Amino acid sequence: MMQQLRESTKVIMVLVSIAFVGLMVFEWGMVLSGRSSQQGTGTSLGSVDGTEISVDDYQRQYQILYEQASARAPEGLSREQLEQIEQQAWDDVVDLTLLRHEAEKRGIRVTDSELVEFIKFNPPPEVAAMPAFQTEGQFDLAKYQQALADPALEQTWVEYERQLRSTLPIQELQEQVIAGTIVTEAEAS
């Protein structure tokens, strides 16, 4: 019993650490950059094809791009780089909105059973890379599936599910477009 609790503690501590880092970056970082999440909660930045672009969606995408850029630039980001990140975040949110609309037009939806199967066997890359989910340096699916069943981590998986409900139809749309693309020999030359 104690051994199982100790093993679960690693996973819980890793997820708490990620949540804390997320708080620092999303909330405190936005306050420092003048983009407090309190400023725009529940408001939109604009609309695309009749759909409002929420501040939260934009901030989420901005944060992803900011973290990626920061990891590549340990010396810090210039004002120009921050402006590029802002523009790229906006472009990404607009593109995703348009792709969601197209997926809806084509009737592409993810069923609950498809989602459950996908989650069971496709951990987020950042989770798969965590030492708590590794055995001898390799990802351990059993540890991941054990974490999926842990009620203490339910909120983490709810967020992952929310994200997948949005992205899986877009992936299916992209697969349909690629599958429908035929390149002739003349075009390939």
Side-chain angles (χ1 to χ4, degrees), residues 4 42 47 51 73 115 126 140 142 184:
Q4 185 179 15
S47 68
T51 300
L115 187 61
E126 57 274 8
D140 188 334
T184 65

Side-chain angles (χ1 to χ4, degrees), residues 10-73:
K10 293 176 189 174
V11 173
I12 292 169
M13 290 304 294
V14 167
L15 291 172
V16 167
S17 299
I18 290 171
F20 182 69
V21 169
L23 170 70
M24 290 188 320
V25 173
F26 282 106
E27 185 61 30
W28 300 342
M30 290 298 192
V31 169
L32 292 174
S33 69
R35 292 181 181 82
S36 171
S37 65
Q38 302 303 316
Q39 290 175 339
T41 304
T43 63
S44 68
L45 295 173
S47 68
V48 174
D49 200 19
T51 300
E52 303 261 328
I53 303 293
S54 75
V55 171
D56 291 339
D57 288 344
Y58 170 79
Q59 286 179 337
R60 218 178 346 266
Q61 185 61 26
Y62 175 88
Q63 198 55 47
I64 290 167
L65 295 173
Y66 179 84
E67 288 174 7
Q68 290 171 350
S70 293
R72 290 189 305 264

Side-chain angles (χ1 to χ4, degrees), residues 116-158:
V116 167
E117 285 304 305
F118 186 89
I119 290 172
K120 277 185 190 177
F121 299 103
N122 297 284
E126 57 274 8
V127 170
M130 289 180 182
F133 294 105
Q134 305 273 323
T135 300
E136 297 178 8
Q138 297 292 322
F139 174 71
D140 188 334
L141 185 62
K143 287 182 180 180
Y144 169 69
Q145 290 178 342
Q146 183 180 8
L148 285 174
D150 187 346
L153 303 174
E154 181 179 351
Q155 190 57 40
T156 301
W157 305 123
V158 167

